[in-house]
Amino acid sequence: MQKIIKKLGFSMAALVAMSAGLAHGATGDFTIYPTYMHGENKTWIVSDVEAGETRTEYVTVENVSGLEQTIDLIVLEAESKEKSFTVKENEPFTRLGLWTKLPQNSVHLLPHEKIRVPVEIAIPENTDLQEYTATILAAKSEKNPQNITIVTRIGVRMYINVVEPGTLNANIFGAPGTSAFFLIFSFVALIAAIFYNVIHYLEQKKYENQQA
């Protein structure tokens, strides 16, 4: 009976891994999500990467509880077909799992603390040009009152489309975190242009009055 309960607990944990919401554990809540938006997508990492390129993405792990927590970080490869997304449990890496590196295997979070974690994706040269999928899991293990280990996991999906080298144009405003800078820069430039035109208009009127 205890084995059945353990299996049930594991199945429930695997189901939670695919959720995009909060993970509800006995000692508190935590979540993981992409630090930056990818187009209109706030939940997944969706990116075109050239073969031979190394790209750094970011995820944010957040403790939304009032207790300290240690959260494990795991990368697993996945398979995406039509509307299904299946994590490859206990299978050796063959593609994106080998190319994705995290700087640490866990993070310790104070109450209501969040931390940004870099995700380095190094695509080998001569990689087949296609889409590759994986997931970055935030996980926590704990014992329930029956001394059964419950594993709670939340995953951020990664959809990495490998394209031919030289396909993507370098664009500093396409880098994560630069959109706000570009917006501020554009606003300041607009104010400067308006100010210049007003000064020019006043000087022109002053000159016309002197010539009258």
Side-chain angles (χ1 to χ4, degrees), residues 91-207:
E91 293 188 25
F93 293 157
T94 59
R95 299 294 181 89
L96 193 52
L98 295 174
W99 309 334
T100 304
K101 304 297 181 185
L102 299 175
Q104 58 211 82
N105 296 324
S106 65
V107 293
H108 184 78
L109 300 175
L110 298 176
H112 304 293
E113 182 183 13
K114 57 184 176 182
I115 184 172
R116 186 181 71 170
V117 179
V119 181
E120 183 180 278
I121 305 169
I123 307 298
E125 296 181 357
N126 302 320
T127 297
D128 292 339
L129 307 182
Q130 64 181 61
E131 184 180 77
Y132 300 90
T133 53
T135 183
I136 303 170
L137 296 174
K140 184 178 69 173
S141 301
E142 55 192 345
K143 299 280 188 179
N144 69 2
Q146 290 73 39
N147 201 34
I148 298 175
T149 299
I150 302 297
V151 180
T152 307
R153 307 191 307 183
I154 296 178
V156 172
R157 299 183 187 183
M158 289 199 302
Y159 295 89
I160 304 300
N161 183 40
V162 178
V163 299
E164 187 176 352
T167 302
L168 304 178
N169 294 322
N171 181 0
I172 61 171
F173 299 112
T178 58
S179 57
F181 168 79
F182 180 66
L183 180 62
I184 294 172
F185 178 81
S186 300
F187 179 75
V188 172
L190 177 61
I191 296 299
I194 293 173
F195 182 76
Y196 171 80
N197 282 286
V198 169
I199 294 299
H200 179 73
Y201 174 79
L202 294 176
E203 290 292 336
Q204 182 67 25
K205 295 299 290 184
K206 181 179 179 181
Y207 175 77

Side-chain angles (χ1 to χ4, degrees), residues 34 36-47 179:
Y36 305 106
M37 287 185 61
H38 294 73
E40 298 297 323
N41 199 307
K42 300 179 181 180
T43 306
W44 307 331
I45 294 175
V46 182
S47 185
S179 57

